[in-house]
Amino acid sequence: AQKITQTQPGMFVQEKEAVTLDCTYDTSDQSYGLFWYKQPSSGEMIFLIYQGSYDEQNATEGRYSLNFQKARKSANLVISASQLGDSAMYFCAMREGYNQGGKLIFGQGTELSVKP
Amino acid sequence: DAGVIQSPRHEVTEMGQEVTLRCKPISGHNSLFWYRQTMMRGLELLIYFNNNVPIDDSGMPEDRFSAKMPNASFSTLKIQPSEPRDSAVYFCASRKILGNEQYFGPGTRLTVT
């Protein structure tokens, strides 16, 4: 069964607008962590944001925020005020267990294109 | 601070040859991960170490793959013999053992002809 599902293979957004990238996950653990990574065309994996399953507040990092809806098992990434440099692949990932192991399970990714 | 360092950045080899990929984690990080990225399978974990000890190698595809971490600042992933289906980008990542974020290296693009 797919543990991390990203249903949007590709997304377009106009520069300066906000965009939401969807991510749903499947786990029976009570403790887990959710991550978003950015992979530009140059290929490196850049950590963006983290949300723990027990965190009551939605995580935010600058223009990135994570819309965490635990009951729906969703962890959508919101990018505000899109910039041309935001064009990249975005991966949602989950770590099952809290600070145990550390193995990340990745979704298939969403390719975001920001239009000028 | 230097990030995760991987070498080589690109490797082209012929089927049957031995390939060794190298990784230096971020200083002070106790966990090290090897991932592989392909178009077909996406990003998948191959193996990870905590304090130089292999914890989970269930993602290692077959006996042709082996990984070592002789000390806290160095790890290798070896493929012997290599096959064309091993062509992929191999990432190394590291993390503080009680931390959350995994920081990735730039990756090694392996092509096996």
Side-chain angles (χ1 to χ4, degrees):
Chain A
Q2 194 86 332
K3 292 254 185 179
I4 296 284
T5 302
Q6 294 181 251
T7 57
Q8 307 151 313
M11 289 278 287
F12 289 91
V13 65
Q14 205 68 35
E15 192 178 8
K16 299 181 185 177
E17 292 185 350
V19 63
T20 297
L21 306 184
D22 294 342
C23 173
T24 57
Y25 59 91
D26 182 26
T27 182
S28 56
D29 282 2
Q30 296 301 308
S31 299
Y32 50 90
L34 298 157
F35 302 76
W36 278 91
Y37 283 84
K38 172 184 178 181
Q39 187 175 41
S41 58
S42 51
E44 70 268 34
M45 294 287 289
I46 302 168
F47 168 77
L48 295 178
I49 197 166
Y50 165 80
Q51 178 87 39
S53 59
Y54 289 124
D55 295 341
E56 294 185 354
Q57 301 276 354
N58 285 342
T60 60
E61 289 286 349
R63 294 186 299 110
Y64 305 108
S65 60
L66 199 152
N67 184 0
F68 181 46
Q69 297 187 41
K70 196 168 182 176
R72 296 181 60 186
K73 294 189 174 178
S74 75
N76 299 339
L77 177 70
V78 180
I79 306 175
S80 63
S82 298
Q83 302 172 356
L84 296 178
D86 294 334
S87 294
M89 283 290 289
Y90 288 81
F91 291 94
C92 180
M94 176 176 65
R95 184 197 66 227
E96 291 180 291
Y98 182 74
N99 273 335
Q100 297 168 14
K103 170 182 177 178
L104 291 183
I105 302 165
F106 286 86
Q108 289 300 307
T110 294
E111 184 171 9
L112 178 66
S113 298
V114 180
K115 295 182 173 182
Chain B
D1 286 342
V4 176
I5 298 172
Q6 290 187 248
S7 65
R9 294 293 308 276
H10 301 273
E11 177 81 29
V12 180
T13 191
E14 292 184 348
M15 183 174 62
Q17 297 298 306
E18 178 179 295
V19 175
T20 299
L21 311 182
R22 296 173 177 80
C23 175
K24 177 179 168 56
I26 294 171
S27 177
H29 284 195
N30 313 87
S31 296
L32 184 140
F33 306 81
W34 283 100
Y35 290 91
R36 179 172 67 175
Q37 185 177 32
T38 61
M39 289 295 293
M40 290 295 294
R41 298 175 66 89
L43 269 158
E44 53 183 349
L45 179 78
L46 299 176
I47 185 171
Y48 79 91
F49 298 83
N50 281 349
N51 291 323
N52 314 336
V53 176
I55 303 299
D56 183 353
D57 65 355
S58 59
M60 295 286 261
E62 47 199 274
D63 292 345
R64 298 185 296 107
F65 285 69
S66 62
K68 293 183 180 179
M69 192 163 186
N71 57 60
S73 59
F74 184 65
S75 177
T76 58
L77 178 67
K78 186 176 292 186
I79 309 172
Q80 165 64 16
S82 57
E83 296 182 2
R85 60 192 167 124
D86 301 331
S87 297
V89 179
Y90 291 81
F91 287 103
C92 176
S94 72
R95 186 193 73 149
K96 290 181 182 178
I97 202 162
L98 293 181
N100 293 312
E101 303 89 353
Q102 288 186 23
Y103 294 96
F104 281 69
T108 295
R109 182 173 294 277
L110 173 65
T111 303
V112 183
T113 60

